[in-house]
Amino acid sequence: MQAGFPFSRQERLRAWVARLPWILAGSLLLLISLRLAVPAVGVLRDDGIYLSSARALASGKGYVIDILPGEPPNTKYPPLTSLLITPLFAAGLDPIQHPAAFKAVPFLFLVVWLSGLRRLGLLVGLGTECVGWVIACTTASAWVAYCGTMIMSDIPAAALITWGMVFMLRPLQDRGAPLGWTAAAALLLGLAFLTRTHAAAAVAGTALFLLARRDFVRLVLLCGICLLLAAPWLWWVSAILAPQDPVMQYYSAQNYRDWWAWKAGGITRWLEVAVLNFAMFLASPSQSIALGAPILGSIAFAPVLVLAARSARLPQMQMILHALLAPTAAALLWQWRPMRLLLFVFPLVWMAAFGSGGRLGRRFLTVLALLFCLRGLWLQGYQVRLAYQDRNPPLFVNRADS
């Protein structure tokens, strides 16, 4: 050690490496924030419906879709995402004239989600460096960048689910912890369902975990609060008949009854749906850095999945695995691309992989995560330039519609 330097060169290098994922995560989050000023809103259809129903709520029409003929009741999209932006309409703001104000809502939930991932990672025993890589890989996703700056339900649902898991994990580590922790977790998970329907699978996975532990008091509390929150929405969906027009049915609860794999035909078709969805599941996290090449993306992410599976033997990872397996299984049987459905799952896979133990495995994951983040950093910088050029953010790796 040289005089005048409190740390050796090797120690300074280690400290810099430990800070690297946080530097990358901060840089990626900054690039994502630049999309807030891009004027396009309502361009993916779903966000247009959320905006439409929020405007209807603010004007006193109720939870309807005011841009469709006859202004039908909205029975497809749970109401919380629209409710989050209703105050902006009530304040007299317009998404065309003030797009950044509306886009700031999902972006704030993105920050909340990332802070929840940090807390969850520390609770399950990951070091700050590993947690940093989980967060950096999350912000490197092109889908996260898109959904975090458009009026979409994915990021708010991810934030609520993640913080629900944080509150659920505390009493699991301390049997003597008050039931208030579980009640708070149930409240957040129930609100997640009211944000995005697929969040019900995360609730189911958490309930199965409590059942396996024979923690019946917390199981009843979780299910009771979630059902209490979901009941008005479930009543609303069941009380309104689906329209006869097949196009209009897409925007009704009928949609969620018809898109399961077993509605596709015979067993061969079921298998085709599941296999194709699994291939897209493998490719999704790394496609943004593989420039849309599904085979390359699948090869890149498969080792992460293998290492995550190894964490099944670790008690602190059991709840995370239950919370990600149920939504993944549901997404594989749904006749639609799983990328957005599983947006909150992919960071949990990274978390489980880093938590599987072994110095060699973590070094491998660090190198792979670094490649993901560097490629994601380049891609998002490129996408921001296109977004301002087209006045419309690129969707995934493709150029946006003009």
Side-chain angles (χ1 to χ4, degrees):
M1 185 181 298
Q2 296 179 2
F5 290 92
F7 301 106
S8 67
R9 181 179 300 175
Q10 186 176 12
E11 289 173 326
R12 292 198 301 273
L13 178 61
R14 286 177 180 174
W16 185 86
V17 170
R19 290 194 296 267
L20 179 59
W22 296 100
I23 294 171
L24 288 169
S27 302
L28 286 159
L29 190 61
L30 177 61
L31 280 174
I32 293 173
S33 70
L34 296 178
R35 297 171 178 239
L36 293 172
V38 178
V41 291
V43 296
L44 195 63
R45 181 173 55 210
D46 286 12
D47 50 343
I49 298 300
Y50 291 128
L51 287 163
S52 169
S53 291
R55 180 174 59 191
L57 286 169
S59 63
K61 295 180 180 179
Y63 195 54
V64 301
I65 307 175
D66 67 0
I67 56 175
L68 291 181
E71 298 187 346
N74 188 342
T75 60
K76 178 181 179 182
Y77 301 91
L80 189 54
T81 303
S82 291
L83 284 169
L84 289 171
I85 55 175
T86 295
L88 297 175
F89 280 107
L93 299 181
D94 180 87
I96 303 299
Q97 301 299 323
H98 311 93
F102 286 80
K103 294 182 178 191
V105 174
F107 183 78
L108 287 175
F109 272 93
L110 173 58
V111 176
V112 172
W113 180 29
L114 296 177
S115 67
L117 288 173
R118 177 184 177 277
R119 182 60 180 159
L120 185 63
L122 294 176
L123 279 176
V124 298
L126 297 186
T128 55
E129 183 180 343
C130 291
V131 171
W133 284 118
V134 171
I135 293 175
C137 288
T138 303
T139 53
S141 165
W143 268 113
V144 168
Y146 187 92
C147 294
T149 50
M150 299 295 278
I151 314 301
M152 307 286 283
S153 62
D154 311 88
I155 300 296
L160 291 167
I161 291 171
T162 302
W163 274 104
M165 293 173 64
V166 169
F167 279 89
M168 184 63 72
L169 195 60
R170 172 66 184 274
L172 297 181
Q173 293 178 335
D174 178 11
R175 286 274 187 169
L179 290 175
W181 288 95
T182 303
L187 176 64
L188 291 169
L189 291 171
L191 291 175
F193 171 73
L194 293 178
T195 306
R196 186 164 181 80
T197 305
H198 189 67
V203 178
T206 306
L208 286 173
F209 173 70
L210 292 175
L211 181 62
R213 284 172 56 93
R214 299 184 180 181
D215 197 340
F216 298 116
V217 174
R218 297 188 190 278
L219 174 63
V220 171
L221 185 59
L222 169 71
C223 295
I225 292 177
C226 287
L227 286 174
L228 187 65
L229 288 170
W233 171 245
L234 296 176
W235 173 84
W236 169 262
V237 167
S238 61
I240 298 173
L241 296 176
Q244 296 299 312
D245 185 285
V247 175
M248 296 292 285
Q249 283 183 6
Y250 177 85
Y251 298 100
S252 74
Q254 182 69 36
N255 181 274
Y256 290 128
R257 294 192 286 268
D258 288 345
W259 280 70
W260 293 102
W262 49 84
K263 294 281 188 176
I267 186 66
T268 301
R269 179 59 180 157
W270 296 17
L271 292 174
E272 287 178 3
V273 170
V275 170
L276 180 60
N277 278 338
F278 183 70
M280 288 190 285
F281 164 73
L282 278 179
S284 295
S286 52
Q287 260 190 312
S288 59
I289 61 98
L291 292 181
I295 294 178
L296 180 59
S298 299
I299 293 173
F301 191 64
V304 182
L305 199 62
V306 171
L307 288 171
R310 290 182 55 194
S311 68
R313 56 188 169 82
L314 302 174
Q316 69 270 26
M317 289 294 174
Q318 295 295 321
M319 192 194 72
I320 288 179
L321 291 177
H322 277 78
L324 67 86
L325 284 175
T328 302
L332 295 183
L333 296 174
W334 181 251
Q335 295 188 80
W336 198 254
R337 299 171 183 175
M339 288 86 82
R340 283 177 52 205
L341 291 176
L342 299 179
L343 206 61
F344 74 92
V345 164
F346 296 123
L348 300 182
V349 174
W350 278 102
M351 196 174 291
F354 272 107
S356 63
R359 181 179 299 179
L360 184 61
R362 290 194 177 189
R363 285 181 177 177
F364 169 79
L365 286 170
T366 298
V367 173
L368 188 60
L370 176 61
L371 294 175
F372 273 43
C373 294
L374 290 177
R375 189 63 167 172
L377 191 66
W378 176 88
L379 176 64
Q380 291 204 33
Y382 172 72
Q383 286 192 326
V384 165
R385 181 173 64 82
L386 286 184
Y388 279 92
Q389 182 177 324
D390 296 340
R391 298 175 63 80
N392 194 357
L395 176 60
F396 200 35
V397 296
N398 300 314
R399 195 160 193 163
D401 294 334
S402 59

